């Protein structure tokens, strides 16, 4: 048996490692509308540290989007995100009148007419989705957290940012997902399936929190209880950021962690304020 055959045999025999952290990529468009009827078609490309999004807007109304994992470089991630939704609806780049790039890779969107910071875009987006009552925005992204204040038109008036540690971000939750070997979409709901709400893990560092989580498992904590302790720690972490800038009514949460009820509901409980619901 030669080396290539032996390697192939080993690869076939080895079980594929499951990536529990991998969230579901998603493409959607409004099937009740036809983009060809629109007078003005615009597009927003968000190249984030973890995910990239392309959003198509027709005559000022949301028409479709594609959300996928960010790749090795920003230009390719931007192209792939846009191509994913264009392929779905039969659109070409020349059909789009104007493109805006945002996110940490915004300056590397090759076909963008303009680049705008994600802070400004989050404020305008929250205003668009939540209405002009939105004043405080918490963005929990893949690698950083931002607390943003805006006015009734969605214009940023103040903001604070934490980008020194992955605690309180999507990356931190991905680490816990893999450690617990539980799909990331299940972490939030499972964090409430505990007999008693545990104290938060003591460390805000993802590396040390991971070690502490292993220690709790060895001490007899269930996986759900460890997840609850980590969700509580994330909530406390981002609330401390919010309290530095001040939280007003009209509280809106954006970013991937906004989909995690285990963190969101604990933030609401600590603040005593319910986030704007756009459902």
């Amino acid at each position: 048996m030669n080396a290539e055959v032996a390697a192939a045999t080993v690869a076939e025999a080895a079980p594929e490692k499951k990536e529990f952290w991998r969230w579901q990529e998603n493409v959607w468009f409004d099937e009740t509308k036809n983009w060809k009827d629109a007078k003005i078609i615009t597009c927003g490309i968000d190249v984030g540290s973890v995910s990239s999004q392309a959003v198509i807007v027709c005559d000022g109304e949301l028409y479709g989007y594609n959300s996928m994992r960010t790749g090795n470089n920003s230009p390719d991630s931007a192209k792939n995100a846009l191509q994913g939704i264009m392929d779905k609806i039969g659109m070409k780049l020349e059909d789009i009148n104007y493109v805006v790039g945002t996110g940490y890779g915004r300056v590397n969107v090759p076909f963008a007419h303009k680049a705008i910071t994600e802070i400004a875009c989050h404020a305008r987006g929250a205003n668009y989705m939540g209405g002009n009552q939105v004043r405080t925005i918490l963005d929990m992204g893949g690698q950083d957290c931002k607390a943003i204040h805006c006015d009734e038109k969605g214009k940023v008036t103040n903001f604070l940012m934490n980008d020194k540690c992955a605690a309180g971000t999507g990356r931190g939750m991905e680490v816990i997902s893999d450690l617990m070997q539980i799909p990331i979409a299940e972490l939030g709901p499972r964090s409430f399936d505990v007999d008693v709400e545990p104290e938060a893990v003591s460390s805000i560092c993802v590396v040390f929190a991971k070690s502490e989580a292993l220690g709790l498992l060895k001490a007899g904590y269930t996986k759900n209880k460890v997840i609850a302790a980590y969700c509580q720690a994330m909530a406390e972490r981002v609330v401390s950021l919010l309290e530095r800038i001040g939280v007003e009514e009209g509280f809106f949460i954006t970013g991937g962690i906004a989909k995690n009820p285990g963190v969101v509901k604990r933030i609401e409980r600590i603040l005593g304020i319910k986030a704007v619901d756009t459902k």
Side-chain angles (χ1 to χ4, degrees):
M1 181 182 293
N2 61 39
E4 290 183 358
V5 174
T9 302
V10 171
E12 290 176 1
E16 184 179 353
K17 183 180 178 181
K18 186 172 182 180
E19 297 176 312
F20 293 93
W21 59 266
R22 189 172 289 278
W23 39 268
Q24 184 176 357
E25 297 180 332
N26 188 24
V27 60
W28 170 91
F29 70 97
D30 189 343
E31 298 183 18
T32 67
K33 299 176 183 177
N34 188 340
W35 63 267
K36 294 180 181 179
D37 296 330
K39 295 180 180 179
I40 300 294
I41 299 174
T42 55
C43 174
I45 304 288
D46 171 26
V47 181
S49 59
V50 169
S51 67
S52 293
Q53 286 72 224
V55 179
I56 302 293
V57 175
C58 294
D59 293 334
E61 294 186 0
L62 176 64
Y63 176 75
Y65 63 81
N66 180 32
S67 177
M68 60 189 299
R69 193 81 183 178
T70 294
N72 294 327
N73 66 76
S74 297
D76 284 348
S77 295
K79 292 175 184 177
N80 292 337
L82 180 55
Q83 197 63 52
I85 180 62
M86 290 197 302
D87 287 346
K88 194 78 171 178
I89 62 179
M91 181 183 286
K92 296 180 180 179
L93 182 58
E94 51 264 34
D95 295 316
I96 302 174
N97 300 102
Y98 201 82
V99 179
V100 169
T102 190
Y104 91 100
R106 61 186 176 275
V107 297
N108 293 315
V109 179
F111 43 84
H113 297 89
K114 186 176 183 179
I116 302 176
T117 70
E118 63 269 33
I119 294 170
C121 287
H122 275 291
R124 290 296 295 272
N127 178 271
Y128 175 86
M129 295 183 67
N132 58 14
Q133 78 272 21
V134 172
R135 290 294 180 275
T136 305
I137 302 154
L138 170 64
D139 168 37
M140 294 184 288
Q143 296 283 9
D144 60 40
C145 278
K146 307 175 189 72
I148 306 167
H149 272 176
C150 67
D151 62 19
E152 71 281 359
K153 295 182 179 179
K155 183 178 179 181
V156 176
T157 56
N158 195 11
F159 75 91
L160 285 175
M161 181 175 177
N162 167 47
D163 61 355
K164 302 300 182 183
C165 178
T169 69
R171 181 58 192 146
M173 191 58 73
E174 288 178 350
V175 169
I176 293 299
S177 175
D178 256 6
L179 179 65
M180 297 292 108
Q181 295 192 320
I182 294 173
I184 195 165
E186 297 178 15
L187 294 183
R190 287 188 61 157
S191 73
F192 297 113
D193 189 11
V194 293
D195 50 358
V196 177
E197 183 76 9
E199 292 185 5
V201 293
S202 60
S203 177
I204 60 175
C205 172
V206 170
V207 176
F208 292 130
K210 181 178 177 179
S211 299
E212 187 174 356
L214 288 171
L216 291 174
L217 288 173
K218 291 179 181 179
Y221 271 49
T222 64
K223 287 186 177 182
N224 290 354
K225 199 168 183 178
V226 173
I227 294 168
Y230 190 71
C231 285
Q232 179 66 23
M234 290 186 74
E236 291 178 3
R237 171 73 168 174
V238 297
V239 165
S240 67
L241 183 68
L242 284 166
E243 288 177 339
R244 287 168 56 196
I245 196 172
V247 183
E248 301 178 29
E249 291 289 347
F251 176 50
F252 199 94
I253 302 178
T254 66
I257 301 295
K259 296 182 179 181
N260 186 319
V263 178
V264 170
K265 291 184 181 300
R266 287 177 172 87
I267 291 171
E268 292 175 332
R269 184 167 62 202
I270 296 171
L271 291 176
I273 297 175
K274 185 171 177 58
V276 175
D277 189 354
T278 60
K279 296 179 181 178

